[in-house]
Amino acid sequence: MSAVKSLDGNPDPRDEIVEHLPSMRAFALSLTRNGAAADDLVQDTVVKAWNKIDHFEPGTNMRAWLFTILRNTFYSDKRKSRREVADVDGSFAETLSEKPHHDGRLAMRDFEEAFARLADEQREALILVGASGFSYEDAAETCGVAIGTIKSRVNRGRARLAELLHLNADDSMEMTDKATMAVVNGMIPPGRFSA
């Protein structure tokens, strides 16, 4: 199957959107902490990107453009939701379930609770740089801040996680989740943990 060509004969940038859906969903899930809300956020992002594809500059970073749309949509929705009252009777809370505990010093549940306690900006920076593999430059562009700001947020986020999880340099980390390891990586100097 060949790629669809745009009117000027170049590949249609819409074709590239599909390649980024898994990483967009992972980023959306880290922001929303809810699978259904993450799916809705990704869908809204794709619709916005599709409708505004003429604003995308060919040759630039499609992934960063999509993540910027997703991030801005999330924060816009978050601002709107502050005016709403949801789940007053607790019926939604009753349907929540907990992931199984992992063996080892750093259980996934402990990590998730500590990660949720980070400031939104620190959590976002750690997901982009640590778990999604963004460069500092791409993460800074996505968040609309300076590179130094992203580096600072990542550093402060990792330090806060280490503090919340009571990690020492000689602790062993036993985890199976690569994304979590990517976020935690760098909290203590390299080579200090055995994975």
Side-chain angles (χ1 to χ4, degrees):
M1 181 169 134
S2 64
V4 176
K5 302 282 185 182
S6 64
L7 296 176
D8 61 3
N10 293 321
D12 190 338
R14 289 181 185 98
D15 292 339
E16 193 180 340
I17 292 174
V18 175
E19 296 172 22
H20 300 289
L21 288 176
S23 58
M24 288 170 55
R25 186 173 191 289
F27 183 46
L29 193 55
S30 73
L31 292 172
T32 63
R33 298 181 220 141
N34 176 291
D39 289 340
D40 290 344
L41 183 56
V42 169
Q43 183 176 359
D44 290 346
T45 300
V46 169
V47 168
K48 287 178 180 182
W50 194 272
N51 290 333
K52 298 293 185 180
I53 200 71
D54 55 316
H55 293 272
F56 176 72
E57 296 178 31
T60 60
N61 189 336
M62 171 68 81
R63 180 174 155 168
W65 185 68
L66 291 169
F67 273 57
T68 300
I69 294 170
L70 189 144
R71 177 185 179 274
N72 291 343
T73 301
F74 170 74
Y75 284 114
S76 293
D77 291 348
K78 190 173 181 179
R79 280 189 297 273
K80 290 177 192 173
S81 71
R82 287 185 183 147
R83 295 182 292 267
E84 297 174 2
V85 177
D87 198 30
V88 232
D89 60 355
S91 60
F92 177 75
E94 292 174 357
T95 65
L96 296 177
S97 61
E98 182 179 336
K99 288 186 176 187
H101 297 281
H102 290 273
D103 293 334
R105 164 69 179 88
L106 183 58
M108 184 57 114
R109 179 173 172 226
D110 294 340
F111 176 81
E112 289 173 344
E113 288 174 1
F115 197 69
R117 291 176 59 189
L118 293 178
D120 287 344
E121 294 83 10
Q122 291 173 356
R123 190 173 55 251
E124 176 181 53
L126 286 172
I127 289 297
L128 289 173
V129 173
S132 296
F134 272 50
S135 67
Y136 286 115
E137 293 80 10
D138 287 344
E141 182 183 330
T142 299
C143 295
V145 297
I147 294 170
T149 301
I150 284 294
K151 288 180 177 180
S152 177
R153 288 176 181 177
V154 167
N155 187 44
R156 285 193 322 265
R158 286 177 172 158
R160 180 69 177 137
L161 274 177
E163 177 187 323
L164 291 170
L165 295 168
H166 310 289
L167 292 178
N168 298 313
D170 57 346
D171 287 342
S172 172
M173 294 178 62
E174 299 173 14
M175 286 190 183
T176 57
D177 185 270
K178 290 181 183 178
T180 302
M181 287 302 297
V183 169
V184 173
N185 186 23
M187 287 176 18
I188 306 295
R192 295 290 183 97
F193 286 117
S194 59

